[in-house]
Amino acid sequence: MRRRSLLLAAPALAAPATLRAQSGPPHEWLFGTWTGGIFPAVDTQGPGCFGNAVVIFTRDVIMRMANLDIAYRQRLIETVAVTNDGVEIRLVAQSGRVPPESGFGCQNNPDLLRVVRRGDDEIAFPNCIEFPSVLRRCKT
């Protein structure tokens, strides 16, 4: 019985980590607080970074800083698709009057966000006029 289980497990153990089945959602690597985007990120360590958070990713919600309001704009995630260099996130469409800064200024579609992974702690939103600079993850 032991041999059989070892033989069945051998291909999984030999496969590279990137090819193994992912246990969480496809955008799990984005979870956390990000700074920059609007201006180049300066401080990515400690409370200063978390105090200047521009975008926060969670499993079901993306929150972005609003220039004219203290509250973050919250958008629900509808679907996430993996791309060659990141993910494409479709946000739940908003009905009625859409508040300013509800999207990310990406190709005139407030319900779509493409995220390109530039490194472990660096991302970009291509073709998003409201986020011309890269974003960097805040760390403690």
Side-chain angles (χ1 to χ4, degrees):
M1 188 69 158
R2 246 184 211 177
R3 270 190 187 163
R4 193 177 300 164
S5 61
L6 284 175
L7 289 174
L8 293 175
L13 295 173
T18 55
L19 297 179
R20 291 184 189 155
Q22 184 175 344
S23 61
H27 65 300
E28 187 173 33
W29 57 271
L30 278 172
F31 293 175
T33 305
W34 298 81
T35 189
I38 299 168
F39 301 106
V42 179
D43 183 20
T44 60
Q45 297 289 326
C49 183
F50 291 97
N52 291 320
V54 175
V55 178
I56 301 170
F57 286 93
T58 68
R59 178 184 295 270
D60 301 320
V61 178
I62 300 174
M63 294 175 274
R64 71 160 282 191
M65 181 194 72
N67 288 331
L68 303 174
D69 196 357
I70 351 174
Y72 282 85
R73 301 284 185 226
Q74 297 183 26
R75 295 295 307 272
L76 295 176
I77 296 173
E78 185 174 346
T79 62
V80 179
V82 176
T83 62
N84 290 338
D85 54 359
V87 293
E88 181 176 282
I89 300 172
R90 293 207 178 274
L91 304 168
V92 173
Q94 295 178 326
S95 60
R97 185 176 165 197
V98 178
E101 299 174 337
S102 66
F104 292 82
C106 307
Q107 300 173 341
N108 296 325
N109 187 348
D111 301 327
L112 179 68
L113 177 63
R114 288 186 179 91
V115 182
V116 173
R117 190 177 201 169
R118 299 260 174 109
D120 287 340
D121 295 319
E122 190 172 286
I123 58 173
F125 300 154
N127 303 316
C128 297
I129 58 173
E130 295 179 27
F131 290 86
S133 298
V134 298
L135 292 98
R136 294 202 171 99
R137 184 186 308 273
C138 292
K139 301 176 192 175
T140 53

